[in-house]
């Protein structure tokens, strides 16, 4: 009876109207308005004058509430119902039950037409709304008549038994189905989809709200009979439905939108892209996914601060929305990365044109707090069905194209399989790596470290390997990026830490105290639960936290450094040592030394390996060592491969050495033999 409110008919105004569609509208409107006219003609003055004051009060109250229900619909998230579901049925349906068809359709027609005029809706929409309400009420009335129930103004009916309630359920279902089918057919014909599919598309939302309305009808009918003045109190549960629906809508909006920019988030992107892919496969019209990464955004954050960086992101979001079509989906994926989903793209050239237009919008002058900020973006483009027909693959290939655009400084790149020869194998690696973690195919090799002062063993670094059943040992360079991109990194890190600490505990039982260093991903440092899990692992193995060193790289200096710093501090408070790996390869190292709770630094092998023969590299090593010692930090020189390099680095006052001259990485059993010889028999680590 009300299931299709004006929200659905919003599509009728702008949709293409073929002859069949117009014919359908004409038939429904003619039948509905004709039945309404007949109903009005059957009303006599005698029927109205015979009504007592209570009945008049009940009908008058219902008229007011029906109008309010039409004007203030319940807002829902269904795409098919962008304007919500009206609550007029809550009061029209009990009028149908208590007073019969004639007052019900007249009441609803007056309210629907009045609400339409207030909203300045097209007359054809108002007439269709009136007609659908009349026809659905008539369908319910036929069920009442079939059950032998014939309510009128002069002979009202009030439900009194369980049998009456069953009749009301059947009447309500009939009204709901007829009403929604009438509108689903209109929308389906206007947009070219199956009416039945349209009917099912938002059935859950419609039926939930309608069930609440029909469920109150028997109570309101009883109030009309015995306490008509109390009918107005039924507005309370209606208000509760309004508030509940509004809260649900707000909650869903927050779950699918970014707080900072107001754009959709990754969750919404997945939903929208999956729907767009299905539409493309059905219609043959391509859709495109654009991934955009801002260039030099870290510099804005570092130099001007996070508030300015946040404002830059908001401005970029605004420019993207202003540049693209209203129907395009603009998403903040995270950090300074955005995505755009565009449906019905003609071809690759059209997609590139859109991407270039977006870049041009970003190039426009941007001034924040008096600062002129230069913002550019690198955009990767992937199309359906040219490059993928699944969301994960489409996103991955747009991501590959984006990094090519950034690396080549071209600004815009379309995915090219020729430049991503390993894409298929990388996708296969995801499932393979997940299986490897579960099946115990991950193993560690250990590379020793020794004191440059007295040549004693000071510990080992654990290096991860994937012992593939077919390929053999897979190097970390192949699968670590896959783990980071696929969300497996946290699980992989937990496995690595458990393996490393298991080995350290085993060495301890053999009388060898061997500290271990483990590399952790930047993504691990964004996980606030990591320190808790690590503390539990240490406790399970009965090890002191000081035996573990976590090695991090300068990638921690990003837009998310604040989150990383919190995790690092928690790890430091736990007692774990923190080491900055590959020191000297980034422009921001000094800032990291000052701000992060580090215990040591590892000078990158690119300096260490040449320090004995290249004076400039020797100067860097000496200066770095003095600086680190001045800050109370331990210094590890990695990449020592010759006796000459060992002696040179020792003279430069570094503390610890690591490299092939000392030992290559070894699996656990071989590392145990190597360590036992040097720790239990007190043999020097090397003989320079």
């Amino acid at each position: 009876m009300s299931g299709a409110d004006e929200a659905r008919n919003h599509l009728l105004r702008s949709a293409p109207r073929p002859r069949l569609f117009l014919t359908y509208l004409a038939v429904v409107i003619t039948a509905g308005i004709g039945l309404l006219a007949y109903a009005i003609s059957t009303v006599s003055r005698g029927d109205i004058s015979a009504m007592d004051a209570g009945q008049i009060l009940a009908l008058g109250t219902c008229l007011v509430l029906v109008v309010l229900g039409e004007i203030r619909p319940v807002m829902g998230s269904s795409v098919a119902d962008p304007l919500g579901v009206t609550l007029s049925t809550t009061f029209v349906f009990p009028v149908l039950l208590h007073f019969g068809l004639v007052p019900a359709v007249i009441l609803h027609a007056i309210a629907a037409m009045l609400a339409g005029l207030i909203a300045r809706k097209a007359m054809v929409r108002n007439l269709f709304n009136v007609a659908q309400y009349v026809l659905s009420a008539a369908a319910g009335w036929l069920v009442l008549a079939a059950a032998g129930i014939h309510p009128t103004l002069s002979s009202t009916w009030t439900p009194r038994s369980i049998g009456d309630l069953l009749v009301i359920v059947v009447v309500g279902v009939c009204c709901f189905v007829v009403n929604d089918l009438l509108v689903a057919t209109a929308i389906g014909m206007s947009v070219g989809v199956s009416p039945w599919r349209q009917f099912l598309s938002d059935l859950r939302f419609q039926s939930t709200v309608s069930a609440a309305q029909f469920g109150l009808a028997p109570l309101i009918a009883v109030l009309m009979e015995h306490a008509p003045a109390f009918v107005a109190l039924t507005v309370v549960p209606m208000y509760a439905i309004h508030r509940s629906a509004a809260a649900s809508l707000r909650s869903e909006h927050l779950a699918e939108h970014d707080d900072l920019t107001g754009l959709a988030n990754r969750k919404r992107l997945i939903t929208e892209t999956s729907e767009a892919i299905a539409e493309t496969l059905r219609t043959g019209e391509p859709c495109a996914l654009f991934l955009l990464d801002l260039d030099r955004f870290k510099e804005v954050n570092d130099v001007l601060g996070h508030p300015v960086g946040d404002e830059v992101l908001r401005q970029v979001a605004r420019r993207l929305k202003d540049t693209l079509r209203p129907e395009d989906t603009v998403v903040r994926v995270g950090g300074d990365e955005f995505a755009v989903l565009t449906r019905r793209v003609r071809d690759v050239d059209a997609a590139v044109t859109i991407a270039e237009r977006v870049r041009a919008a970003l190039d426009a002058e941007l001034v924040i707090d008096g600062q002129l900020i230069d913002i550019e973006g690198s955009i990767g483009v992937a199309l359906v069905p040219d490059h993928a027909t699944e969301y994960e693959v489409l996103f991955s290939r747009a991501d590959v194209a984006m990094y090519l655009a950034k690396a080549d400084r071209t600004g815009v790149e379309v995915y090219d399989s020729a430049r991503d020869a390993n894409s298929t194998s990388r996708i296969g690696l995801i499932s393979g790596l997940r299986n490897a973690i579960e099946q115990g195919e991950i193993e560690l090799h250990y590379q020793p470290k020794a004191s440059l002062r007295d040549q004693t063993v000071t510990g080992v670094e654990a290096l991860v390997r994937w012992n593939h059943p077919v390929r053999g040992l897979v190097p970390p360079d192949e699968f670590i990026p896959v783990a980071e991109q696929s969300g497996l990194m946290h699980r992989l890190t937990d496995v690595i830490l458990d393996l490393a600490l298991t080995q350290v505990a085993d060495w301890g039982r053999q009388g060898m105290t061997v500290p271990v260093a483990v590399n952790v991903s930047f993504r691990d440092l964004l996980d606030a639960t990591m320190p808790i899990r690590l503390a539990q692992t240490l406790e399970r193995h009965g090890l002191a936290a000081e035996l573990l060193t976590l090695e991090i790289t300068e990638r921690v200096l990003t837009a998310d450094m604040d989150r990383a710093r919190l995790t690092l501090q928690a790890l430091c408070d736990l007692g774990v040592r923190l080491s900055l790996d590959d020191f000297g390869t980034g422009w921001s190292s000094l800032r990291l030394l000052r701000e992060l709770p580090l215990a040591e630094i590892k000078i990158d092998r690119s300096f260490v390996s040449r320090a004995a023969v290249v004076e400039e590299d020797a100067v860097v090593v000496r200066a770095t060592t003095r600086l680190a010692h001045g800050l109370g930090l331990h210094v590890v020189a990695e990449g020592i491969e010759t006796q000459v390099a060992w002696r040179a680095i020792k003279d430069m006052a570094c503390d610890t050495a690591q490299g092939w001259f000392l030992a290559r990485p070894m699996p656990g059993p071989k590392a145990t033999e190597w360590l036992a010889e040097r720790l239990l028999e007190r043999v020097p680590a090397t003989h320079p």
Side-chain angles (χ1 to χ4, degrees):
M1 209 165 142
S2 80
D5 55 311
E6 285 83 12
R8 293 169 152 184
N9 295 304
H10 174 70
L11 296 174
L12 302 182
R13 179 171 58 186
S14 57
R17 301 188 177 192
R19 180 175 300 178
L20 183 61
F21 175 57
L22 294 176
T23 301
Y24 173 76
L25 289 182
V27 170
V28 172
I29 291 174
T30 300
I33 299 302
L35 182 57
L36 175 63
Y38 172 75
I40 293 174
S41 68
T42 63
V43 179
S44 65
R45 289 186 176 181
D47 292 334
I48 297 175
S49 61
M51 296 175 64
D52 59 32
Q55 292 175 325
I56 294 174
L57 176 62
L59 275 179
T61 303
C62 284
L63 175 61
V64 173
L65 295 176
V66 169
V67 172
L68 291 176
E70 286 287 322
I71 294 175
R72 295 293 303 277
V74 172
M75 302 307 297
S77 60
S78 171
V79 176
D81 280 312
L83 302 181
V85 176
T86 58
L87 294 180
S88 50
T89 298
T90 308
F91 308 102
V92 172
F93 190 56
V95 171
L96 173 66
L97 298 177
H98 190 64
F99 292 108
L101 176 65
V102 174
V105 296
I106 293 175
L107 208 65
H108 214 167
I110 293 173
M113 187 60 69
L114 182 59
L117 293 175
I118 292 174
R120 298 182 179 180
K121 297 171 183 175
M123 185 54 64
V124 67
R125 296 177 62 197
N126 293 333
L127 292 176
F128 186 85
N129 286 337
V130 170
Q132 73 184 57
Y133 291 148
V134 171
L135 292 176
S136 57
W141 177 79
L142 289 175
V143 174
L144 282 175
I149 301 170
H150 304 278
T152 63
L153 286 173
S154 58
S155 179
T156 59
W157 177 74
T158 303
R160 302 180 186 280
S161 66
I162 297 297
D164 292 342
L165 290 179
L166 294 177
V167 171
I168 291 173
V169 170
V170 177
V171 173
V173 170
C174 185
C175 291
F176 171 77
V177 171
V178 170
N179 185 74
D180 268 31
L181 281 177
L182 285 171
V183 179
T185 301
I187 295 178
M189 295 175 71
S190 69
V191 299
V193 300
S194 164
W196 181 246
R197 180 178 178 180
Q198 183 64 40
F199 173 73
L200 295 176
S201 66
D202 64 340
L203 181 61
R204 181 178 179 181
F205 177 75
Q206 289 280 354
S207 58
T208 300
V209 177
S210 296
Q213 298 184 79
F214 288 125
L216 286 172
L219 298 177
I220 297 177
V222 171
L223 288 177
M224 288 177 175
E225 174 73 19
H226 300 290
F230 288 178
V231 171
L233 295 179
T234 56
V235 76
V236 175
M238 292 301 96
Y239 177 73
I241 292 175
H242 257 291
R243 291 295 299 271
S244 176
S248 176
L249 194 63
R250 285 194 300 272
S251 176
E252 181 172 340
H253 179 85
L254 291 173
E256 296 189 343
H257 288 78
D258 173 54
D259 289 340
L260 179 64
T261 63
L263 297 178
N265 61 15
R266 185 186 287 267
K267 178 181 178 182
R268 187 65 184 173
L269 176 65
I270 294 173
T271 301
E272 293 281 348
T273 305
S274 300
E275 293 174 356
I277 291 173
E279 180 182 337
T280 293
L281 297 180
R282 185 177 68 252
T283 65
E285 293 183 291
C287 65
L289 180 65
F290 305 80
L291 285 186
L292 182 154
D293 185 78
L294 299 182
D295 299 333
R296 301 185 301 278
F297 179 72
K298 286 194 297 183
E299 297 176 20
V300 173
N301 259 342
D302 296 339
V303 177
L304 302 179
H306 289 288
V308 173
D310 290 346
E311 182 59 27
V312 168
L313 294 176
R314 283 190 286 265
Q315 293 283 354
V316 168
R318 192 171 300 117
R319 289 186 180 188
L320 291 176
K321 295 287 288 185
D322 292 343
T323 302
L324 297 161
R325 301 174 302 178
E327 60 266 32
D328 295 333
T329 302
V330 183
V331 176
R332 184 186 177 208
V333 180
D336 60 343
E337 189 174 345
F338 296 82
V340 176
L341 174 67
T342 302
R343 305 183 188 222
R344 294 179 294 281
V345 178
R346 187 178 65 254
D347 51 28
V348 171
D349 291 339
V352 172
T353 299
I354 295 172
E356 294 288 3
R357 190 165 70 243
V358 169
R359 286 200 81 231
L362 295 181
D363 285 342
E365 183 178 278
L366 177 61
V367 179
I368 299 177
D369 292 342
Q371 294 282 346
L372 178 61
I373 299 174
D374 181 26
I375 290 294
E376 293 180 350
S378 299
I379 302 176
V381 184
L383 279 74
V384 178
D386 295 7
H387 304 131
T389 55
E390 297 177 356
Y391 168 77
E392 291 82 2
V393 181
L394 182 69
F395 188 93
S396 174
R397 292 181 174 174
D399 192 52
V400 168
M402 181 187 73
Y403 278 103
L404 287 173
K406 185 179 287 289
D408 296 347
R409 299 186 181 277
T410 55
V412 176
E413 287 287 342
V414 178
Y415 176 78
D416 182 357
S417 59
R419 303 186 66 188
D420 186 27
N422 295 321
S423 60
T424 302
S425 62
R426 277 207 302 271
I427 293 171
L429 277 175
I430 296 176
S431 58
L433 181 57
R434 183 179 290 109
N435 182 70
I437 293 173
E438 295 172 353
Q439 299 301 320
E441 296 173 8
I442 302 300
E443 64 180 50
L444 299 182
H445 287 198
Y446 300 90
Q447 185 172 33
K449 296 187 287 187
S451 168
L452 280 160
R453 180 176 56 82
D454 57 14
Q455 306 165 32
T456 58
V457 176
T458 59
V460 296
E461 179 180 0
L463 302 171
V464 64
R465 301 289 187 267
W466 174 6
N467 195 351
H468 195 281
V470 177
R471 298 177 56 191
L473 289 180
V474 180
D477 289 349
E478 285 193 37
F479 63 87
I480 292 298
V482 171
E484 290 184 327
Q485 294 167 12
S486 64
L488 291 173
M489 197 64 237
H490 297 331
R491 292 175 59 189
L492 179 60
T493 299
D494 286 347
V495 169
I496 293 171
L497 287 169
D498 186 64
L499 289 173
L501 295 177
T502 298
Q503 183 65 77
V504 171
D506 182 59
W507 287 333
R509 286 189 290 271
Q510 297 180 46
M512 296 184 291
T513 300
V514 185
V516 66
V518 176
N519 289 277
V520 292
S521 165
F522 176 65
R523 292 190 179 276
D524 294 317
L525 302 182
L526 299 182
D527 182 5
T529 66
M530 182 190 177
I532 300 173
R533 300 198 311 274
L534 180 55
Q536 294 170 345
T537 305
L538 287 166
E539 182 178 2
R540 186 169 65 252
H541 291 291
L543 295 175
E546 292 78 9
L547 288 174
L548 176 64
T549 297
L550 297 181
E551 296 187 4
I552 60 177
T553 66
E554 294 179 8
R555 285 187 62 199
V556 295
L557 192 64
T558 69
D560 292 309
M561 183 175 174
D562 287 341
R563 289 173 59 192
R565 185 188 289 110
L566 292 175
T567 304
L568 289 170
Q569 188 59 55
L571 291 169
C572 182
D573 294 341
L574 182 63
V576 172
R577 300 176 76 253
L578 300 176
S579 175
L580 185 60
D581 200 6
D582 300 333
F583 185 84
T585 59
W587 63 272
S588 56
S589 300
L590 296 181
R591 176 184 175 186
L592 291 175
L593 292 182
R594 187 184 72 228
E595 295 189 5
L596 299 181
L598 301 171
E600 75 174 25
I601 63 170
K602 298 184 72 175
I603 303 178
D604 187 68
R605 66 180 63 248
S606 62
F607 298 105
V608 173
S609 61
R610 299 178 302 184
V613 293
V614 179
E615 180 59 26
E616 289 81 0
D617 291 327
V619 170
V620 170
V621 174
R622 290 191 191 95
T624 302
T625 302
R626 284 196 296 270
L627 174 64
H629 287 165
L631 294 171
L633 300 177
H634 190 84
V635 180
V636 178
E638 57 179 347
I640 296 180
E641 299 180 0
T642 66
Q643 181 173 323
V644 173
W646 176 284
R647 289 173 175 170
I649 294 300
K650 178 181 179 181
D651 291 340
M652 295 175 192
C654 290
D655 302 302
T656 300
Q658 180 180 351
W660 286 4
F661 177 68
L662 182 64
R664 296 197 177 203
M666 299 169 282
K670 188 173 181 180
T672 300
E673 293 177 8
W674 191 94
L675 290 168
E677 179 184 348
R678 286 154 181 82
L679 292 177
L680 299 180
E681 299 177 20
R682 303 301 175 186
V683 175
T686 186
H687 303 279

